[in-house]
Structures are given as structure tokens and as C-alpha cells.
Amino acid sequence: MAVATPDSPAGQIAQALVDFSVEGAFPEESVSSLAVDSDALPAAIEALASAKSKLQAEIHIINEETADDVRTWKTNAQSVQDDIIRSKALANDILKQSEAPQASGKAIEEAEARVAFIARELDYNTQLRNALRGIKAVNQILDQVEQARDERRILDALHLLERSWKELDAVPVNKSCRAIKLLDIRAFELKSDVHQVFDHVWNTLIRVDIEGHKVSISDTKEGEAMSLSDAVIGLKAYKEVDQRAAQLWHDIDKAILAPRLDIKQENLPSVRINENTLELGGTSDQSIEAVFRDLAQVLAFLVEKLPPDLVETISTVLISGLIPTITKTWLDLAVPSSLEEMDRFQATISTTKGFCTTLKALGLSHLNELQEWTESAPRVWLSKRREAALDQIRTQLSQGLGASKQVERVEKQVVSKSEGQQLAANGATVAEDDGGWDAWGSDGEQETGGQQTSKPAAKKLTTEPSADVIDDAADAWGWGEENPEPEESEEPQQKKQKHEEVDPTEAWGWGDDAQIDDAVPEPAPAAPSSSSKPQTRELTFKETYSISSLPQPVLDLIASLVEDGAALTQGDYANSPVAAAAAGLFGLPTLALAMFRAVAPRYYAPDVGGNMFLYNDATYLSERLTEFAEEWAKRDNIGTRARTMLRLDNDIKSMQSFANRAYRNEMSIQKTVLRDLLGGEQNLIQQDDTESCVSAAVARVRSLAIAWESILSRSAWQQAVGSLVDAVANKIIGDVMDLPGIGQDEAYNIANHIASVTALDDLFLPSRFSQGVESSGEVENEVPTTAQYAGSWLRLKYLSEVLQSNLKDVRYLWLESELSLYFSADEVVDLVNLSFEDNPRTREVIREIRAKPNPLG
């Protein structure tokens, strides 16, 4: 038997039977008119069997995919059918009961309950039907979303998604229902798929090549159904307008703006526009005019190519980040740090105003910071001067102290002839213009008050190094040839002089409230003469000390600032954009000096003698600023306004206080070190290594003396080293007085330790500072001046004498020598009790000492 083909009569009849059986479709007239013979029957049976197999396979697949749903629906359908059967039975019962002539009250209640139950069942069925219809509608909408996604109809897909969520919310089913959850998950998955397609379209329309420094913006692209305007609508739907715009501006900044505005690059690219493409290429100069020109091109391109909704974000995102970059780099660098190039600065201000006008014409805003910069030129320029001044101070300090140099401190004093001779003996120098005492006249006398005033030297802000030292100070003063007045005896007179100068505060002229430990050295005025009519004269004294290289740049900076301030008050700068900053310039020296005081200790401290250099430098600054202020007030080439605007009095006082603090801090540190070397809070005499402690302290004093000698002036050096020596002496005296008892061997050892300390007398020999060549005899007979600068020095020496004396010697030292000038009666009695046994002879000496507490009257 031949096999029936689809085009054969048997095949056509078989297909017609299948179509009718499956789809209920009637055959065409050409097929229905065919004759049915026995050959067509097997083909028909075979076709129907094949169709049956396919249907069974599809049903089987559907059953497997929807088995859970089918079971659920089957259960629900069975439940509904059971409810219907019960409802019918209940209705029949109600009907029978209603036809009954008599009904009990209980039966009526049961009937009413059944009616209510049926009503609820009907409502449930209605809700279920509505829910199923809603679920079906949502599922159909999501099918449409898939189709729109595949066709890249993004807006349609988004509208349909929005509609599906509205329909899903309207479904009268609890949201925890599994069917609702499945639809919700499907909707979110579709939204994610649509977003991926949207990203592809967006990146096709707007392409930013960061590495290639190129930006392309197209409204439409061939093959894409969405335009750039439609893309913005999509961004709104996803609520990503701000996020996407911020990312776009960030990418444009990295690709175009940042490379163009990178002021650190030597060769900057320029901006080029080619239809829909913005790119960097070629080179551009580093002028602010070129920057504004390129930025105007970039912003105009973006405003032209982008939809209005994105353009609005340019001001809030791009401009807000761009303006600070312009002002803090390009514009701030265009601000001159002096009055030079002021014409160029004025041109920059005009260019900036023009750039603001261009941006306003493009419809951009958030230009307040740029406009304020143009309107506050004096403040901007003054701020630049302030930053430059403070940075100059920091930079100069960071470079270290540099090479030191000697400078002179010049002071005028009215002194008597005898005082001048004493100053000459101590090595003081007098200006050559003042001459010697022989220059006063033939009679050699001068009435008090009729001083001869030397011609004042011109004061400058800069100071030349000190002049060569005069070989013979006494000859230079004209005092060396006269004979000194007769003295009773050399040693008593010397001791008396030392006693009178025990308190160094009197020699330096400090106030009563000054502390000797924290005293700051100053030039020492001579003590007043005791004669009724002394020969007096005003002389100019000079004292040299060393400063670092730092004060001069500070002084130069201050001079530059006030000179520019004075220039701005003149008519030449009346129309200058920074003329109003004149008053501010006169305030910058205060800030510069404050910066110096705040930062200097950090940079001075590491150097040897750094704090003493800081003391000298700060003192030097205060002196030079005082001279500068005096000269400024006398200038006739500046206006009255400029002369009165300079106010340095408070700064000078602050600088001098700062110098004093630096000195006090250094002395406090060194005294603490010495005290620690001498046992700290422990008693030095009771230490096992007393000798090494004393040696270490003495070595420390000598090392500091050597380090400070080339820094401090002679008077300051003597005061500083004397203060250290005095601290050592006080520590030893206090520890000896605190001992419970002193044996003969221990007294001998203590005396040896004191002898090691008193060897520091060689630091205060006059020959150490002598300007001439002393003979060997004169050097050997020198008397050290240690006691003038260490108040406890003679007290320490007398303590050594007492420790090495017997009772007879102690009695002599108290009653006939000068022990009572340095120790009280109670202290001597305590020393006697510590050193000697309690016997009648000891008690007798103690009674004599107590009987005469002030034997010298």
C-alpha cells in the first residue's frame, strides 16, 4: 500500500479530520468534495493517532509544569463542588422546612445560619473569580512587557510595568499569596531586564572615552528605537536622573575637564568640537583666558546636545564642582603676591567677569563663588599676601638656623667716671665717637645733668656685623692712665664688694618681683656713684651677640609689607582694584610675627644652643622693629595715613616676652638636667657615686658655657652660666644641711666635692673676656667674678671652710671673719651640731654664736 503524502487526496482528508478533531475547523470545499475510498482510511487513522500522541505529550508536559497548580485547582474545585452539593442539600432542607406547617425555633436558627453560610460562600466564589481574572490580566501585561523589551521599546515596557504593578495592587488577594509573589518576582525580573536594555541604549547615545579624552553625544542612533529625550524619561521612571547625570559629569570631568585644568602639566591640551564629538587635542597656553575659552566651548556643547532635564543638573553638579577648582588653582595663582603685575591682575578680573556673563547666557547658575571672587579683589589679594607671608615664615624656619653672625646692641647710659672705669675693667666697649674722659675739658669735671650727648647713629632695619674689638678697652675709654683711689686693704674690700653684689637682680636692674632663677639677662646699668657731685657723661655702650640667619628675612618681609601698604595709600594706586587692602597690609606683620613665635621653637630646639639663638633672635627682632617704627614715624615721603597705620608696639612687647620665655625655658630645662645629675630628689651626699655625679654636673656646666659663649652676649652669658653654677651650689648646700650628721671623713669628702665645683671659677676670670693681652702676673692674681652672678657661690665656699675647720676656726669665722654674711646663726649652729660632739666646748661656741647673731653689725 502506498504511503499517503500531504498533497495526496488521502493526506488532505487525513489532515482535515485532524484539524476538525483538534481545532473544530471545517475543511475547505476542495477537500470536502474529495471522494473517500478505502485507501484514505488508513492514512486518516494514522494521522489521528499521530495527533493524539502529540496532544498527549503536550498534556503530559503541561501536567508536569502545572502539576502543583492543577492539584491546587482540583482541590479548590472539589471543595467548591462539595460546597455546592451541601448548599443544594441545605436549600432543599430549607424548602422542605418552609413548606412544613409547624417549625421549631431551633430549626429556624439553623436555617438562617445556613443561609448566611451560603451567602459567604457566594462572596468567596466571587472574590476568587475576580482574583483569578486579575492574576490573568497581570500575567498578560507582563507578556506584553517581554515583547516590548525584545523589541527595545523601552518606554512602552516601562509604561506596561507601571500598569502591571497597579493591576497587581488591585488584585483582591493577600500579598503573601504564592501566585501574587510569583507575579511580583516576574515583574522585578522584567524591570531588571529592561534596565539592562536601557543601559545599552544610553551608552550607545552617550559615549565617554576617558582614556581617549573624547565625549560623543547623539540624539538618536540607527537601529535604536529610543531617542536621548526618551532616555531621560526612562531615567525619571527609574528615578536615576541625578545619579546618571552625576556619573556623566564625573566621567566628562575625568575625560575632558581634569586634563585641561591640570595646572601641574607643562603642556596642556586644547578643546576641539567636531559635530557630535567633544575631545582634547593639540596644545594650549596656561593663561586664564585660554582656560575660560575652552570651558565656555565645553559647556556650550553640553547645553546644545543634552535634553533640558540634564542641562539643569549641569549647574547643580558640574558647575558646583568646577568653580572651586578654577578659583583655588587658576585664579589664585593669577593673584600677584606684590604690587607688581597689578595690571595683569586687573585684566584677569575682567576676563572672569566675562566668563560669568557667558555662563549666564547659557542658562547656567551657581556662579556665586566666581562672582564673589571678582567683586572681592582686595580681599582675595590680601589673602594671597597673607598666605605668602606666613608660608615664607614657615619655609624660612624649615631651612634651619643657617650661618650665624655677630651683631651689636647699642645703648646709651649716663655714667660717672668711677662707674666707667669699672665697666672698662669688665670689658665693656664705648663708641669711638664718644672719646675718653680726657675729652671732657681741661678741668676734668662735669656737673650732674650737663651730659654730653653723642651723635645718634642712623637706625636701619638691617644690621651690619659688629666692628673689630678694640685692643685695650681701658685706653680706649681714657680711664687707664688715672690712678685708682686708695683702698683700705685688697681682700676685705674685695669681699665687701662681693657681698654687696650677692643679689644679681640688683646688678641687672630687675624689679623686686623678679626671680633669680628665671631672670632674663639685660644690659647692666652701672651702680650709682656715692660722691655728691660725680663726674657724669652720656656714653654709647656696645655689646656683641650672635644671631642666626632667620631674623633678617622676617624683617625684610615686614618692611616689604608695610612699604606696599604705604604705596597703596598714594595717588598712583587710587584706581587699583586692591587699593582698599592698604589697611589689611599693615596688619600682616602682626600675623607674620605670630607665626614666627608659634613655629620657631620647633625648629630652633634641635640645634645646639638653639633656644639661646631663639632668645637672641627674638630680642634682635624686637630691637630692630622698635628702631624701624621710630624711623617710620619720622618719614616725610609717605602720607600721614600711612605713618599712623603702622602699629608695632604690641608686637614688639609680645616678641620681647617671647624672647624672655625662650630664655627661661632653656634655663629651666638645663637646671632640671643638673638637678637630675646631682641625684634629683635624693640627697647627693648619700649617693654611692657622689663623685661621678658632681663630675657630670661640672662637665655639663662647662659644655653649656662653651656652647653659649659664641651665642650670647658677655653679660647674658655670665648671667646664664652663673645661674647654672648657682643651681649646683644650692643643691649641694641644701643636701649638706639635710644630713643627720657629718663625720670627719665625710666632711673631708664633701669639701673635695665642693672644691671640684668651685673649680668653675675659671669660667668667670676677667682674662676670659679681656680684649688686651694680660701679663702672666696679672692673670695669676685675677679674682673671679663668679659671686656676682651666683648668689650662693660664696655661701658654698664658706660651707667648705666650716666643714674643714675645728671649733676654734668656726668661732673665728663667725665672730671675726665674714661667715655671718652668708649663713644665719641658726644655720651655723646646725652645722656645728652636725660636725662636732656635744661637749662643754661645743656648747660654749654655740652660746657665743647665738649671743652675736650679727657680729659685723
Side-chain angles (χ1 to χ4, degrees):
M1 182 179 60
V3 178
T5 61
D7 295 335
S8 65
Q12 292 179 357
I13 293 173
Q15 184 62 39
L17 291 174
V18 171
D19 292 341
F20 179 78
S21 299
V22 175
E23 300 178 1
F26 289 92
E28 298 292 335
E29 184 177 356
S30 59
V31 177
S32 60
S33 62
L34 293 175
V36 179
D37 53 14
S38 58
D39 295 337
L41 185 58
I45 293 173
E46 183 180 357
L48 289 173
S50 176
K52 179 181 178 181
S53 298
K54 291 181 180 179
L55 287 174
Q56 288 177 345
E58 291 178 0
I59 291 171
H60 180 70
I61 293 173
I62 293 173
N63 286 338
E64 288 181 351
E65 292 178 348
T66 60
D68 294 337
D69 294 338
V70 170
R71 282 193 294 271
T72 301
W73 286 110
K74 183 178 179 181
T75 301
N76 292 337
Q78 184 63 43
S79 176
V80 172
Q81 186 176 4
D82 293 342
D83 292 341
I84 294 173
I85 293 173
R86 287 195 300 272
S87 298
K88 286 183 179 181
L90 185 60
N92 291 332
D93 292 343
I94 293 172
L95 182 62
K96 290 178 181 180
Q97 291 177 6
S98 64
E99 293 176 353
Q102 295 180 351
S104 64
K106 182 177 181 180
I108 293 174
E109 291 179 357
E110 290 179 354
E112 289 178 349
R114 290 178 179 177
V115 171
F117 173 74
I118 293 173
R120 288 196 301 272
E121 288 296 321
L122 291 174
D123 290 341
Y124 172 75
N125 291 333
T126 302
Q127 292 177 2
L128 180 60
R129 182 182 62 184
N130 293 335
L132 293 175
R133 288 178 178 174
I135 291 173
K136 180 180 180 182
V138 172
N139 193 55
Q140 290 175 346
I141 294 174
L142 294 179
D143 290 340
Q144 296 175 18
V145 172
E146 288 184 349
Q147 183 178 358
R149 176 202 63 189
D150 296 339
E151 298 174 356
R152 293 189 179 179
R153 293 184 289 110
I154 305 301
L155 292 183
D156 292 343
L158 292 175
H159 290 317
L160 289 170
L161 278 173
E162 185 177 0
R163 179 183 167 191
S164 69
W165 276 312
K166 290 181 180 179
E167 294 287 344
L168 194 60
D169 291 338
V171 174
V173 179
N174 190 288
K175 303 306 177 186
S176 61
C177 175
R178 185 170 181 273
I180 299 300
K181 289 182 177 179
L182 290 174
L183 290 174
D184 195 45
I185 292 173
R186 184 185 180 194
F188 275 102
E189 289 177 349
L190 287 173
K191 181 180 179 181
S192 178
D193 293 342
V194 172
H195 191 274
Q196 291 179 359
V197 176
F198 173 74
D199 284 341
H200 171 74
V201 176
W202 173 269
N203 293 330
T204 301
L205 297 175
I206 300 179
R207 300 175 62 89
V208 180
D209 183 1
I210 297 177
E211 298 296 331
H213 306 296
K214 184 182 296 185
V215 177
S216 299
I217 301 177
S218 302
D219 186 57
T220 59
K221 279 287 187 179
E222 185 178 354
E224 299 293 344
M226 186 174 64
S227 66
L228 190 56
S229 299
D230 295 338
V232 174
I233 298 175
L235 289 176
K236 291 180 179 179
Y238 282 104
K239 297 180 180 179
E240 294 182 356
V241 175
D242 294 338
Q243 175 185 351
R244 189 77 63 149
Q247 183 61 42
L248 175 61
W249 306 142
H250 178 70
D251 292 343
I252 292 177
D253 179 66
K254 292 175 65 176
I256 303 296
L257 299 179
R260 177 60 184 88
L261 297 177
D262 188 3
I263 199 169
K264 298 179 181 179
Q265 297 295 329
E266 295 182 0
N267 297 321
L268 291 175
S270 61
V271 174
R272 296 187 302 190
I273 297 177
N274 184 15
E275 295 183 354
N276 296 331
T277 303
L278 175 70
E279 61 182 345
L280 295 180
T283 58
S284 177
D285 57 60
Q286 293 191 344
S287 65
I288 190 64
E289 292 80 5
V291 170
F292 285 154
R293 182 173 59 251
D294 286 350
L295 290 179
Q297 291 188 69
V298 172
L299 296 174
F301 175 81
L302 296 176
V303 170
E304 178 186 358
K305 298 297 181 180
L306 294 175
D309 292 328
L310 286 181
V311 172
E312 291 179 1
T313 64
I314 294 180
S315 298
T316 57
V317 180
L318 187 60
I319 297 298
S320 298
L322 182 63
I323 296 303
T325 302
I326 297 174
T327 56
K328 293 178 181 179
T329 54
W330 288 90
L331 290 179
D332 284 355
L333 288 178
V335 179
S337 58
S338 65
L339 291 180
E340 299 177 359
E341 299 183 1
M342 195 53 61
D343 294 339
R344 178 67 177 171
F345 180 52
Q346 195 161 3
T348 299
I349 295 175
S350 301
T351 303
T352 306
K353 290 180 178 179
F355 181 66
C356 291
T357 303
T358 301
L359 297 190
K360 289 180 180 178
L362 292 174
L364 302 178
S365 57
H366 292 74
L367 305 175
N368 295 339
E369 183 177 352
L370 195 59
Q371 291 174 334
E372 289 177 0
W373 190 91
T374 62
E375 295 169 359
S376 57
R379 179 183 58 80
V380 172
W381 183 73
L382 185 61
S383 177
K384 181 63 173 289
R385 290 299 302 270
R386 179 174 61 251
E387 292 177 4
L390 298 181
D391 185 66
Q392 183 175 342
I393 295 293
R394 286 191 296 265
T395 303
Q396 195 67 39
L397 287 171
S398 66
Q399 294 175 357
L401 303 185
S404 63
K405 69 174 182 179
Q406 282 195 332
V407 294
E408 287 182 342
R409 176 185 290 116
V410 180
E411 182 179 357
K412 293 182 179 181
Q413 292 186 22
V414 177
V415 298
S416 66
K417 184 174 182 178
S418 60
E419 293 164 352
Q421 290 174 338
Q422 182 179 355
L423 291 170
N426 290 334
T429 59
V430 63
E432 294 181 359
D433 291 344
D434 293 328
W437 288 94
D438 295 337
W440 283 23
S442 58
D443 56 355
E445 295 183 356
Q446 176 80 10
E447 293 294 335
T448 304
Q451 301 104 350
Q452 176 181 345
T453 306
S454 60
K455 182 179 180 181
K459 298 179 180 179
K460 301 180 181 179
L461 198 55
T462 58
T463 301
E464 299 296 333
S466 61
D468 295 336
V469 180
I470 304 174
D471 291 337
D472 190 345
D475 292 342
W477 285 63
W479 294 330
E481 298 176 356
E482 298 191 18
N483 295 325
E485 297 180 0
E487 299 178 354
E488 297 178 359
S489 63
E490 182 178 356
E491 182 176 354
Q493 182 66 23
Q494 174 186 339
K495 291 184 178 179
K496 183 178 180 181
Q497 181 181 358
K498 290 180 180 179
H499 171 58
E500 291 174 351
E501 296 179 356
V502 163
D503 186 1
T505 60
E506 296 179 1
W508 290 99
W510 299 321
D512 295 336
D513 59 342
Q515 297 289 335
I516 185 171
D517 288 345
D518 296 330
V520 179
E522 297 178 3
S529 173
S530 60
S531 91
S532 59
K533 278 191 175 182
Q535 292 178 312
T536 60
R537 181 179 183 183
E538 183 183 75
L539 295 178
T540 302
F541 298 98
K542 294 182 180 180
E543 192 173 32
T544 61
Y545 60 98
S546 296
I547 62 171
S548 71
S549 63
L550 297 177
Q552 195 57 52
V554 176
L555 295 171
D556 294 340
L557 173 63
I558 293 174
S560 173
L561 292 172
V562 297
E563 287 292 348
D564 285 353
L568 289 178
T569 62
Q570 305 297 322
D572 295 342
Y573 290 92
N575 298 324
S576 173
V578 298
L585 276 182
F586 281 95
L588 294 186
T590 298
L591 296 179
L593 294 173
M595 173 61 73
F596 178 85
R597 295 194 299 271
V599 180
R602 173 186 175 187
Y603 294 102
Y604 276 82
D607 288 71
V608 177
N611 285 330
M612 288 307 185
F613 265 120
L614 181 57
Y615 162 68
N616 281 354
D617 289 355
T619 302
Y620 178 79
L621 282 172
S622 64
E623 292 173 352
R624 299 289 81 76
L625 289 173
T626 300
E627 296 176 0
F628 180 73
E630 293 173 354
E631 292 296 326
W632 184 269
K634 299 176 183 178
R635 288 181 58 174
D636 56 3
N637 59 343
I638 57 176
T640 304
R641 180 187 173 201
R643 285 197 300 270
T644 58
M645 284 176 117
L646 181 64
R647 298 182 180 91
L648 295 177
D649 294 344
N650 292 333
D651 298 318
I652 294 171
K653 293 178 182 178
S654 298
M655 188 59 68
Q656 189 58 57
S657 298
F658 175 70
N660 296 343
R661 286 197 303 273
Y663 178 85
R664 285 195 295 267
N665 292 340
E666 177 67 7
M667 295 305 300
S668 176
I669 292 172
Q670 299 305 332
K671 288 179 182 179
T672 301
V673 173
L674 288 173
R675 185 172 182 83
D676 291 341
L677 292 175
L678 294 174
E681 298 299 327
Q682 305 297 322
N683 193 302
L684 171 65
I685 310 303
Q686 296 176 337
Q687 300 293 317
D688 295 334
D689 55 347
T690 302
E691 183 177 357
S692 62
C693 291
V694 173
S695 299
V698 171
R700 178 73 178 178
V701 173
R702 290 189 180 279
S703 66
L704 291 174
I706 294 173
W708 292 348
E709 190 170 15
S710 61
I711 302 174
L712 297 174
S713 64
R714 175 184 176 182
S715 58
W717 180 90
Q718 289 173 323
Q719 174 61 22
V721 178
S723 182
L724 297 181
V725 170
D726 191 63
V728 174
N730 282 327
K731 171 64 173 161
I732 295 176
I733 294 171
D735 287 349
V736 171
M737 299 297 292
D738 289 340
L739 291 173
I742 303 175
Q744 183 176 0
D745 293 339
E746 191 172 19
Y748 176 78
N749 291 333
I750 295 173
N752 286 337
H753 298 326
I754 293 177
S756 298
V757 174
T758 55
L760 292 172
D761 268 333
D762 61 0
L763 295 176
F764 294 89
L765 293 175
S767 60
R768 184 182 184 91
F769 301 96
S770 177
Q771 298 172 355
V773 179
E774 302 284 350
S775 64
S776 59
E778 291 174 339
V779 173
E780 291 176 358
N781 296 327
E782 281 186 298
V783 177
T785 60
T786 316
Q788 296 183 21
Y789 307 101
S792 301
W793 194 244
L794 293 180
R795 183 175 162 88
L796 179 67
K797 288 189 173 183
Y798 270 100
L799 174 62
S800 178
E801 291 290 336
V802 171
L803 293 176
Q804 299 178 79
S805 302
N806 55 30
L807 282 172
K808 180 180 179 181
D809 294 335
V810 172
R811 180 183 180 281
Y812 171 80
L813 289 173
W814 180 259
L815 296 177
E816 301 181 27
S817 186
E818 298 179 346
L819 179 61
S820 61
L821 298 177
Y822 306 102
F823 284 89
S824 67
D826 290 337
E827 289 175 328
V828 175
V829 169
D830 290 342
L831 286 173
V832 170
N833 288 329
L834 290 174
S835 304
F836 300 97
E837 295 181 356
D838 185 12
N839 54 41
R841 177 59 182 156
T842 301
R843 290 193 291 272
E844 177 65 23
V845 172
I846 291 176
R847 278 196 301 271
E848 293 185 57
I849 292 173
R850 292 190 184 279
K852 293 185 178 181
N854 189 14
L856 297 182

